[in-house]
Amino acid sequence: MNVRKVLLKGGAGIGGTALLAGAMWLHSFLPEVRATALEPIRNGGTIGEEVRNRDFSVRVEKVEAARSLAPNLSLGDPPPIGTEGIYLIVRVKATSHREPVDLRTADLETPGGYTFEKDPRGGSASARAQPTLQPMIWSAATFVFELPEKRLEGAHLVLGAGGLLPQLSAEADIDLGITGKRADELIKGAPDRYDIRADTP
C-alpha cells in the first residue's frame, strides 16, 4: 500500500513537472508566433526597381548624404541643422493601385537590428508632409534619416501604409545598395547645408 502511494505520488509529481515545463515552453513560444502574425506583409527589392505590393508601388530614384541641412526658414540667415553623424536623403516615386494611400511609416533599417525614423529634425525642410498616393499617378517623396556614419552600410528603406490592422497592411523593403565602398563615397561627398527643396527625383 505504501509502495503504491509512493508510486502514485511520484508519477503525479513527474506528470506535473512535465506539464509545467510544457506550459513554460508554450508561453515563451506564443509571443514570437503572435509577433510574426501581426507583422505587415513585406515585398522586397533594390534601388532603381519598382517594388510592388497589393496597395502601392515604390521606386527609389536617388540616395544622397549630407553633413548638415538647410533650415526651413531663411530669414535672418539661421545656421544649418547639423548632426554628429550623417543625414541620408532618400528620394522616391510612388503610386497606389486602387485607392488613395498614405505612407504612414518610413524607417531605415540597418544590420544589427537598428532602426531609424524619418525626419529627425523638425526645423528642416524635410519635415514637410508627404503626398497622398493616387492611383496611376507617380508622386515624388523625400525621406531624411539621421544616423551614425558606421550604420550606412547595408541600409534598407522600409515604407508602409500602416492602418488599424498591421497584419493586413503592406510594406516595401528596399535595399539601397550601400556597400562599404558606397558608404565611404557618400560620407566623403556629403555637403553642408543641403537644401532638400533644391532637387527632386
Side-chain angles (χ1 to χ4, degrees), residues 99-198:
E99 57 187 11
V101 170
D102 289 316
L103 296 178
R104 294 185 177 92
T105 60
D107 296 317
L108 194 73
E109 295 184 358
T110 66
Y114 296 91
T115 300
F116 302 90
E117 296 181 355
K118 69 180 177 71
D119 297 334
R121 306 291 180 107
S124 73
S126 69
R128 68 180 185 269
Q130 300 296 343
T132 296
L133 305 182
Q134 302 292 339
M136 301 176 61
I137 299 173
W138 285 86
S139 300
T142 302
F143 302 100
V144 179
F145 303 93
E146 182 181 4
L147 67 160
E149 293 180 359
K150 64 182 180 181
R151 298 292 171 210
L152 277 178
E153 184 177 353
H156 282 232
L157 174 68
V158 179
L159 300 175
L164 295 175
L165 298 174
Q167 69 271 30
L168 299 179
S169 65
E171 284 188 342
D173 182 344
I174 304 156
D175 184 347
L176 298 179
I178 304 178
T179 61
K181 181 180 178 182
R182 178 61 179 147
D184 290 340
E185 291 173 352
L186 286 168
I187 292 167
K188 288 177 184 176
D192 281 310
R193 210 177 181 90
Y194 181 99
D195 190 347
I196 294 162
R197 297 163 297 186

Side-chain angles (χ1 to χ4, degrees), residues 83-105:
T83 175
E84 293 181 2
I86 198 84
Y87 289 110
L88 191 71
I89 299 98
V90 184
R91 298 185 183 274
V92 308
K93 284 189 175 177
T95 183
S96 64
H97 298 315
R98 297 180 301 277
E99 57 187 11
V101 170
D102 289 316
L103 296 178
R104 294 185 177 92
T105 60

